[in-house]
Amino acid sequence: MKKFYEKFCQLEQWLAILLLAGITILVFVSAMARTIGFPINWAQDAALVAFAWLVFLGGDIALRTTGLIGIDLIIRRFPKSVQKCLDIAFKVVMLVFLAVLVVNGISYVISGYKRMINTLNISYAWVTASVPVGSFLMIISVAINLVKSIKTPVEKWGK
């Protein structure tokens, strides 16, 4: 199972790289084409779909690699036992918030599947689906980090 998860994480990173590169190319080519009088009408909508997915995949990558902005300046002043308790509490709050995003995101996908992105001829659900899918992936990452935090002895806590 661990190898599968590692492969999935690699796939997620490559997908995020491709989405970022695709957005960059689409926006650049679209701007150049518009400048010379041949606008690419679907490029902005395609970039919107890619950006929605990139935000949530990138969020999961940041959570998994603990690349989030923290408030270490304040947290480091506390004893290690308090630091550990705060870390666990923050992760539990994040899990609850992400669960709310999954539930509400699913309802948005269901309620908006008939709405179309006309230039791409696809359902707007492809955009809104990034919320519950990305949030679910983040739940997995936060849960794994939470288990690691719980298992880490207080003596080995902190930097």
Side-chain angles (χ1 to χ4, degrees):
M1 187 67 165
K2 192 172 186 178
K3 285 201 183 251
F4 172 77
Y5 183 69
E6 289 172 2
K7 291 289 184 190
F8 179 80
C9 292
Q10 288 176 343
L11 175 68
E12 185 181 41
Q13 286 181 320
W14 277 108
L15 185 56
I17 290 167
L18 288 173
L19 287 170
L20 182 60
I23 291 168
T24 304
I25 291 167
L26 273 174
V27 170
F28 179 75
V29 170
S30 176
M32 296 304 290
R34 187 173 41 254
T35 301
I36 61 173
F38 297 100
I40 304 171
N41 296 328
W42 56 267
Q44 284 182 323
D45 291 334
L48 169 78
V49 174
F51 185 71
W53 282 94
L54 179 60
V55 164
F56 283 93
L57 292 179
D60 183 41
I61 293 167
L63 283 172
R64 186 173 51 251
T65 59
T66 61
L68 296 174
I69 296 172
I71 48 174
D72 284 350
L73 185 65
I74 298 169
I75 299 295
R76 284 186 183 178
R77 296 179 190 264
F78 291 115
K80 290 184 178 188
S81 59
V82 174
Q83 290 179 27
K84 180 176 179 174
C85 289
L86 286 173
D87 183 71
I88 291 170
F90 292 154
K91 286 176 180 162
V92 169
V93 169
M94 287 177 15
L95 285 173
V96 170
F97 176 73
L98 291 168
V100 169
L101 284 180
V102 169
V103 171
N104 288 330
I106 290 170
S107 68
Y108 281 128
V109 172
I110 292 169
S111 67
Y113 79 96
K114 290 184 181 177
R115 181 178 171 197
M116 298 295 287
I117 301 174
N118 293 330
T119 57
L120 299 176
N121 200 28
I122 62 170
S123 170
Y124 198 75
W126 283 101
V127 176
T128 55
S130 64
V131 176
V133 171
S135 297
F136 180 75
L137 294 173
M138 286 188 248
I139 285 172
I140 294 169
S141 297
V142 173
I144 290 170
N145 286 336
L146 177 62
V147 169
K148 286 179 186 175
S149 293
I150 291 169
K151 287 183 176 181
T152 302
V154 174
E155 302 83 41
K156 293 184 180 179
W157 196 260
K159 296 175 182 174

